[in-house]
Amino acid sequence: MKKRITTVSLLIMAVIISVITVHTTLAEEEQLFARTRVKIPNNLPWYPIVVFGDNRPSDTTSVVLPPVFKEIVKEIKVLNPLAVIGTGDHTGEGSIAQIDKLYELLNESGLENIWLAIGNHDVRQGKYSYWFKKIAPEYYKIDDIPGWRIAIVNSEASLSEWRRQLEDVLKDAGDRNVVLIFHRPAYPDVQHNLASDKVSILVDVLDVYDRVKIVLQGHWHGYGYMIGDGITWIVTGGAGAPLHSSPTSSPGATLVLGKHHYLCLILYPNKTFSFTPVLAGPGSGMITITNVNGSAIRIRNGKLDIYRKPVAVPVRVKVNCGKWVIYSVILVPPSSDVIVNYKVQDNTLVVACNAHEWYAYAVPLGQQIDKAIVETPVNGVVKLELEGLGRISLGVKKEKALGSHVYVVLVAIAIAAVLVYVFVIRRKTSTTTKVQS
């Protein structure tokens, strides 16, 4: 009897382990696009997005991603945008090992809504199916942001497929403006552009479907933009690949060479937008978030733009409070410290911030919803009335007690000065006196 029970128990355990193993394997293999997909509330005042492109290594066979790209990912984690867009060439040649490394870095980042386009390097080895399995669909559209559609297509597709994809992502946009993303740039002319027959198809399709207002592209390893026929054409390809040194100019365009960077894009429901190229790598400044005292955080912005000038950057701060997740979305001014204070008063969470442009919103913990509870500040304060508030968890490291460190350093300097006086200056003076006598 005992033997039979033992055997049954072992069988049950084996089944449980098998189920857990299968579930874990499926979770590990889940596509990055699907795994990071989080519903974006459709009632926010403005929507911060970060864009990067061409983060492939200089050695296209390497599985090691460029150090500057890893730093960019760290900075994007601090900014914590609502979405992250990639303009292609995210691997050296699209090998299985390279795609796995890209997946590993971005999946572990904790970033939400990672939407990557395919570049020519990403399919050099022809691993289309593996890219689709691990990273993202070939082309797709997202309508979460009011007034806008995000549309991603594959510039490596055949001519007929290129036209079909463009028409498919644009035909039912309605009155939404469209942000169109693909890898090889149509405009401006950077002498490293999309083939002319594909540009002709693009122009034909845009004549029919005239909702495109922003085009995000990569391929050329630099930064540039131009505005033509109501469309802002942007090239952002400086996230780690070897930087291009030509051309130095392009008719009607602004070009910046030799600078690693990423792009901060803000979309507004009224269909306006703003964008800022942010410098990356050594000498680009820092953006940090620290826990001041358990109920307040400090955002310190020392970032520079691609022209090496101090720049405002959007930061979305996340804190947990009981049954709620609270987000404070702040345009942090250049060269500034912003303090955000949190305080629970009965069923109201009071958020205070010294920035000028910001808002706060709340979503139920563990839920995805269409509309958040949103408030904009009055005299620098937001009040969110919520049932089920609890202890505030800031989720960032506490600041070090700089004052005590400074005190220790000053004491050490004082002691060193005394020792120098006793053993050097005084001894030298004594020796001089003896010689004179």
Side-chain angles (χ1 to χ4, degrees):
M1 184 68 178
K2 288 183 178 179
K3 186 175 181 180
R4 185 178 296 175
I5 292 172
T6 304
T7 303
V8 172
S9 300
L10 289 172
L11 286 171
I12 292 171
M13 288 176 66
V15 170
I16 292 171
I17 291 170
S18 299
V19 171
I20 292 172
T21 302
V22 170
H23 182 269
T24 303
T25 302
L26 289 173
E28 288 173 351
E29 292 181 351
E30 189 176 4
Q31 185 189 64
L32 186 68
F33 169 78
R35 193 175 182 84
T36 63
R37 188 74 173 94
V38 175
K39 184 71 176 176
I40 299 173
N42 61 16
N43 60 332
L44 304 182
W46 44 275
Y47 294 79
I49 297 171
V50 171
V51 187
F52 66 82
D54 296 85
N55 55 276
R56 69 165 179 85
S58 55
D59 175 4
T60 58
T61 64
S62 176
V63 298
V64 180
L65 290 162
V68 68
F69 176 59
K70 294 178 181 178
E71 290 301 315
I72 286 173
V73 172
K74 288 180 181 178
E75 286 192 11
I76 298 175
K77 286 172 65 176
V78 175
L79 301 181
N80 193 27
L82 286 159
V84 179
I85 293 173
T87 61
D89 275 5
H90 304 300
T91 64
E93 54 187 20
S95 70
I96 288 176
Q98 289 174 338
I99 293 172
D100 284 344
K101 280 292 183 183
L102 175 70
Y103 179 96
E104 179 184 336
L105 177 67
L106 295 179
N107 182 50
E108 291 177 354
S109 71
L111 292 167
E112 299 175 357
N113 295 313
I114 299 176
W115 304 330
L116 303 186
I118 296 173
N120 58 297
H121 278 269
D122 298 321
V123 292
R124 263 192 180 181
Q125 289 195 8
K127 309 293 186 193
Y128 272 95
S129 60
Y130 197 69
W131 178 273
F132 302 154
K133 175 185 176 182
K134 294 289 288 190
I135 305 300
E138 182 176 5
Y139 71 101
Y140 47 103
K141 53 194 176 187
I142 298 106
D143 288 343
D144 283 11
I145 300 173
W148 292 92
R149 165 173 290 180
I150 308 296
I152 295 179
V153 293
N154 175 19
S155 61
E156 303 310 300
S158 66
L159 289 178
S160 60
E161 181 64 13
W162 170 243
R163 179 183 290 276
R164 189 186 73 80
Q165 289 184 16
L166 287 168
E167 290 176 343
D168 194 46
V169 299
L170 297 178
K171 64 185 178 183
D172 60 347
D175 64 350
R176 291 175 179 270
N177 283 351
V178 177
V179 181
L180 181 63
I181 301 107
F182 51 83
H183 181 59
R184 295 180 189 256
Y187 303 101
D189 180 9
V190 290
Q191 299 172 19
H192 196 56
N193 288 74
L194 186 68
S196 58
D197 48 3
K198 287 188 176 178
V199 173
S200 296
I201 291 172
L202 175 64
V203 171
D204 288 345
V205 173
L206 295 186
D207 282 343
V208 176
Y209 306 104
D210 62 351
R211 303 309 305 175
V212 174
K213 299 302 175 186
I214 307 170
V215 180
L216 300 173
Q217 310 153 107
H219 195 54
W220 182 68
H221 303 165
Y223 169 74
Y225 78 94
M226 68 178 293
I227 300 173
D229 296 327
I231 300 174
T232 300
W233 303 82
I234 302 172
V235 179
T236 175
L243 296 166
H244 288 160
S245 57
S246 65
T248 56
S249 63
S250 177
T254 296
L255 301 183
V256 179
L257 286 74
K259 301 288 193 304
H260 288 118
H261 69 281
Y262 55 88
L263 192 78
C264 286
L265 172 67
I266 298 177
L267 301 179
Y268 296 87
N270 65 1
K271 301 177 185 177
T272 60
F273 63 93
S274 65
F275 61 95
T276 304
V278 180
L279 193 64
S284 64
M286 296 179 66
I287 179 79
T288 59
I289 299 180
T290 51
N291 179 340
V292 178
N293 58 13
S295 61
I297 64 153
R298 183 195 313 274
I299 307 171
R300 179 160 289 168
N301 179 18
K303 287 301 297 179
L304 304 176
D305 67 12
I306 206 166
Y307 307 101
R308 295 194 173 277
K309 296 179 180 179
V311 62
V313 291
V315 177
R316 186 174 66 124
V317 179
K318 175 184 176 181
V319 304
N320 290 334
C321 187
K323 298 179 181 179
W324 297 89
V325 180
I326 312 299
Y327 295 94
S328 302
V329 186
I330 306 157
L331 187 61
V332 183
S335 304
S336 70
D337 279 17
V338 166
I339 304 293
V340 188
N341 285 281
Y342 300 89
K343 185 178 181 180
V344 176
Q345 295 177 340
D346 298 323
N347 289 328
T348 302
L349 178 65
V350 180
V351 186
C353 178
N354 62 331
H356 295 294
E357 189 172 350
W358 68 285
Y359 65 91
Y361 70 98
V363 296
L365 185 65
Q367 296 184 33
Q368 297 197 35
I369 57 175
D370 290 328
K371 292 187 182 297
I373 298 173
V374 188
E375 294 290 345
T376 53
V378 177
N379 297 323
V381 175
V382 157
K383 294 182 179 181
L384 295 165
E385 294 185 6
L386 306 166
E387 294 287 343
L389 291 172
R391 182 180 177 185
I392 297 170
S393 176
L394 299 182
V396 292
K397 292 181 179 180
K398 284 190 176 182
E399 289 184 348
K400 295 180 180 179
L402 296 177
S404 62
H405 287 183
V406 171
Y407 175 76
V408 170
V409 170
L410 290 175
V411 170
I413 292 171
I415 293 171
V418 170
L419 292 174
V420 169
Y421 174 76
V422 170
F423 291 103
V424 179
I425 299 175
R426 189 173 178 181
R427 190 172 180 181
K428 185 176 179 181
T429 304
S430 177
T431 304
T432 303
T433 302
K434 286 180 182 178
V435 169
Q436 288 175 348
S437 62

